[in-house]
Amino acid sequence: MTVRSGKVRAGFSGRLQSRATGLTAALLLRRLPGMPPGVRHVEQLVEPADFLTELAAHGFELDLGAQARPSA
């Protein structure tokens, strides 16, 4: 998966999408006691680059901070 925000592009890839989903939930649950109450998006609760780096350490590929190529 690759996402863009302005001129920055980040890519996260690997096999076993269900494993990535489960690991994401587990890593977020570890942080649950320190999270504020209420409904939030994940990126409002964790620093995305740090979180994705931690998730990638479980066998996924992460490409952060790459400059997006201009659309043709």
Side-chain angles (χ1 to χ4, degrees), residues 13 19 28 31 34-36 40-41 49 51 54 60-61 71-72:
S13 62
R19 183 171 183 266
L28 289 170
R31 293 168 168 80
M35 291 183 182
R40 306 273 192 296
H41 292 277
F51 187 80
E54 184 178 357
F60 300 94
E61 294 180 33
S71 299

Side-chain angles (χ1 to χ4, degrees), residues 30-46:
R30 286 183 182 169
R31 293 168 168 80
L32 192 59
M35 291 183 182
V39 177
R40 306 273 192 296
H41 292 277
V42 172
E43 67 274 13
Q44 294 172 314
L45 299 169
V46 298

